[in-house]
């Protein structure tokens, strides 16, 4: 152990008459600890909310859409096969999507009718089904004279229908007759109701078999688009770039970021704003570190003068106080990181415990559409917090350490 480190550690342990300085040192450590812990917890919660909202929006929406300007896609099987060859692509699904109105018992609901194939991810949700059967079997194989349709629980509530009821689907298509234009209409049997309530997708989508949609919307052998899903959200941009090189005009390739990026960017900006605001807590703690060191320098001016007289260089004196500030910053950052990770990893049980003890409703699952309090620890965020906290702590030591190193031994001992 170098003597600079030994002296730094000794200055942190105050004598009986110098307890005040020691108390300020512990307050400085506590300030850094709370600041770092608050930063880690808030960033983890914001990351969790960001991921949760993104999953809500994109749960059943495609990561990437391939469409054709002003026209349906006839050669969709070839395009789907080419898309499957792109690295990091997990699933490719052709579909037909058209706006329509659902009519039943005098009630109306506007939906997006989607014709999809078996295995679509929308069918992975919890759903009420006819006679408790398998949702995809009921939809694609059918047991009645009418084709099946799967709607959301919100649409079912608006229409006042239940499993097995018949609803009429009315697209914006008309048949010209001698009596004028008559809207096209087809009866469907409700074979499934998706239970998840409040989701953007499940509220406005109704699902029918692709073959039925092709016949109903007069698109034989065609689709209106191709859904492409990637292995991870972060793979979207590389895959989009590859698809855009393969499918130029008149094809249009759009990612989920193109469709919903502005809303998610607002969440990222809010996260950055909270990082800056809570970073001020660490900055305040850094002022405590600077105050502590200044008081130590004032208290130990005789010790500094004696060290200089014994041959200690200005650099060694500066190193003593920089090390003292670094020790305070390291202790505070380490304790804060441990505390922040402990709270962030157990945020959901902590929130539920507080709610049960104080009979409060802090996190309403129905409002946010999440089954647990979101908290996701991102290693990059933790590293950023640690780097910022240590940098601020070290910067706070520069002036007191520089002032101590510039002290004149003769002047310091003149009146002693």
């Amino acid at each position: 152990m170098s003597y600079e480190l030994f002296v730094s550690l000794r200055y942190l342990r105050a004598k009986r008459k110098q307890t005040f300085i020691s108390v300020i040192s512990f307050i400085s450590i506590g300030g850094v600890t709370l600041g770092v812990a608050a930063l880690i917890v808030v960033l983890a919660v914001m990351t969790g909310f960001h991921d949760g909202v993104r999953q809500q929006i994109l749960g059943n929406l495609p990561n990437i859409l391939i469409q054709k300007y002003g026209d349906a896609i006839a050669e969709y099987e070839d395009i789907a096969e080419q898309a499957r060859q792109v690295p990091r692509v997990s699933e490719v699904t052709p579909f037909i999507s058209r706006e329509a109105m659902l009519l039943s018992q005098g009630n109306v609901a506007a939906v997006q009718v989607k014709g999809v194939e078996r295995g679509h991810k929308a069918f992975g949700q919890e759903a009420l089904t006819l006679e408790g059967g398998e949702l995809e079997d009921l939809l694609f194989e059918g047991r009645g004279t009418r084709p099946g349709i799967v709607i959301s629980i919100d649409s079912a509530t608006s229409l006042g229908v239940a499993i097995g009821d018949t609803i009429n689907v009315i697209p914006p298509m008309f048949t010209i007759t001698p009596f004028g234009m008559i809207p096209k209409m087809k009866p469907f049997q409700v074979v499934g109701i998706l239970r998840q309530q409040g989701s953007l997708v499940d509220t406005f989508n109704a699902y029918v078999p692709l073959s039925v949609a092709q016949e109903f919307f007069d698109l034989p052998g065609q689709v209106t688009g191709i859904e492409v899903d990637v292995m991870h959200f972060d793979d979207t941009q590389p895959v989009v770039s590859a698809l855009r090189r393969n499918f130029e005009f008149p094809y249009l390739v759009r990612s989920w970021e193109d469709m919903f990026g502005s809303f998610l960017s607002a969440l990222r900006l809010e996260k950055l704003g909270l990082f800056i605001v809570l970073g001020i807590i660490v900055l305040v703690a850094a002022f405590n570190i600077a105050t502590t060191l200044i008081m130590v320098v004032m208290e130990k001016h005789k010790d500094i003068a004696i060290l200089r007289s014994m041959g200690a260089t200005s650099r060694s004196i500066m190193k003593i106080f920089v090390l003292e500030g670094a020790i305070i910053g390291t202790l505070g950052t380490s304790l804060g990181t441990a505390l922040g990770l402990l709270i962030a990893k157990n945020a959901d049980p902590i929130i539920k415990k507080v709610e049960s003890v104080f009979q409060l409703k802090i996190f309403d699952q129905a409002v946010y559409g999440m089954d647990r309090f979101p908290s996701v620890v991102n290693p990059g965020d933790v590293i950023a917090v640690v780097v910022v906290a240590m940098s601020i702590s070290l910067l706070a030591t520069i002036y007191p350490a520089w002032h101590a190193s510039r002290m004149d031994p003769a002047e310091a001992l003149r009146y002693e």
Side-chain angles (χ1 to χ4, degrees):
M1 180 188 295
S2 63
Y3 82 90
E4 292 98 338
L5 179 59
F6 176 80
V7 174
S8 299
L9 292 171
R10 183 66 188 83
Y11 282 173
L12 287 174
R13 301 193 303 270
K15 297 178 182 177
R16 184 176 300 175
K17 295 181 180 180
Q18 301 166 349
T19 306
F20 183 66
I21 295 176
S22 183
V23 170
I24 294 179
S25 299
F26 284 113
I27 291 174
S28 302
I29 293 173
V32 176
T33 298
L34 292 177
V36 170
L39 268 172
I40 290 175
V41 171
V42 169
L43 291 179
V45 171
M46 287 302 299
T47 301
F49 267 108
H50 182 275
D51 292 348
V53 170
R54 182 170 61 179
Q55 188 60 44
Q56 272 193 306
I57 293 175
L58 304 177
N60 297 317
L61 283 179
N63 300 139
I64 303 169
L65 269 180
I66 301 176
Q67 294 173 305
K68 196 172 184 178
Y69 281 102
D71 198 4
I73 303 174
E75 62 285 2
Y76 66 90
E77 292 182 353
D78 295 336
I79 294 175
E81 187 58 36
Q82 292 182 52
R84 290 188 183 97
Q85 305 305 317
V86 176
R88 309 300 296 173
V89 169
S90 61
E91 190 173 347
V92 178
T93 309
F95 71 95
I96 287 177
S97 181
R98 285 285 188 265
E99 293 180 350
M101 294 179 63
L102 305 183
L103 177 64
S104 178
Q105 303 173 16
N107 300 316
V108 177
V111 297
Q112 195 85 9
V113 177
K114 291 193 71 173
V116 295
E117 296 179 332
R118 273 183 178 272
H120 193 274
K121 57 185 177 181
F123 303 133
Q125 300 177 84
E126 187 179 1
L128 298 170
T129 59
L130 186 63
E131 299 177 358
E134 189 67 30
L135 180 60
E136 291 189 65
D137 292 341
L138 293 170
L139 182 63
F140 290 95
E141 296 177 6
R143 296 184 181 177
T145 57
R146 296 186 176 93
I149 187 171
V150 177
I151 62 176
S152 71
I153 193 169
D154 291 335
S155 297
T157 302
S158 300
L159 295 170
V161 297
I163 297 295
D165 290 348
T166 299
I167 60 176
N168 291 313
V169 179
I170 308 173
M173 302 169 67
F174 299 89
T175 302
I176 299 177
T177 69
F179 302 99
M181 298 178 62
I182 298 177
K184 188 173 185 178
M185 183 169 58
K186 185 179 182 71
F188 285 77
Q189 184 182 29
V190 179
V191 298
I193 297 177
L194 300 176
R195 284 186 173 182
Q196 185 176 349
Q197 189 171 7
S199 170
L200 176 65
V201 176
D202 296 335
T203 299
F204 298 106
N205 275 2
Y207 299 94
V208 299
L210 180 61
S211 58
V212 174
Q214 288 175 329
E215 179 185 352
F216 183 47
F217 294 116
D218 297 331
L219 294 170
Q222 302 177 74
V223 297
T224 59
I226 297 173
E227 300 179 351
V228 179
D229 287 322
V230 296
M231 295 182 180
H232 192 272
F233 287 123
D234 296 333
D235 297 326
T236 303
Q237 280 307 316
V239 173
V240 166
S241 300
L243 290 174
R244 284 174 178 167
R245 287 194 297 268
N246 295 339
F247 305 109
E248 299 179 345
F249 187 85
Y251 295 103
L252 172 66
V253 180
R254 293 187 299 163
S255 69
W256 63 268
E257 292 177 326
D258 298 326
M259 294 181 280
F260 301 101
S262 58
F263 178 69
L264 296 174
S265 296
L267 289 179
R268 284 195 292 268
L269 184 61
E270 185 177 355
K271 179 179 176 180
L272 176 61
L274 286 171
F275 181 88
I276 294 172
V277 170
L278 293 174
I280 296 175
I281 298 176
V282 181
L283 190 60
V284 171
F287 280 112
N288 285 338
I289 294 174
T291 302
T292 301
L293 294 179
I294 290 171
M295 294 184 68
V296 171
V297 170
M298 294 173 61
E299 181 68 28
K300 303 294 184 182
H301 68 280
K302 290 187 293 183
D303 297 12
I304 296 169
I306 293 171
L307 287 171
R308 289 296 306 275
S309 301
M310 294 173 63
T313 63
S314 299
R315 184 176 180 179
S316 295
I317 299 298
M318 189 172 185
K319 188 177 178 181
I320 289 171
F321 292 97
V322 169
L323 285 172
E324 185 174 354
I327 291 169
I328 294 174
T330 301
L331 285 173
T333 303
S334 301
L335 292 173
T337 302
L339 180 62
L341 289 175
L342 181 65
I343 296 174
K345 291 285 189 181
N346 300 280
D348 187 55
I350 290 173
I351 291 294
K352 289 178 179 176
K353 184 67 175 178
V354 172
E355 288 180 339
S356 64
V357 170
F358 295 99
Q359 298 298 311
L360 298 173
K361 195 64 176 177
I362 299 175
F363 179 71
D364 193 340
Q365 297 174 349
V367 172
Y368 295 99
M370 304 175 191
D371 57 356
R372 60 190 301 277
F373 188 78
S375 180
V376 178
V377 177
N378 186 345
D381 291 341
V382 176
I383 292 172
V385 170
V386 170
V387 170
V388 168
M390 286 302 301
S391 299
I392 292 176
S393 299
L394 290 174
L395 287 173
T397 66
I398 292 176
Y399 175 74
W402 176 81
H403 182 72
S405 68
R406 302 285 294 175
M407 187 175 293
D408 184 2
E411 188 66 29
L413 294 173
R414 173 180 293 181
Y415 302 106
E416 298 298 332

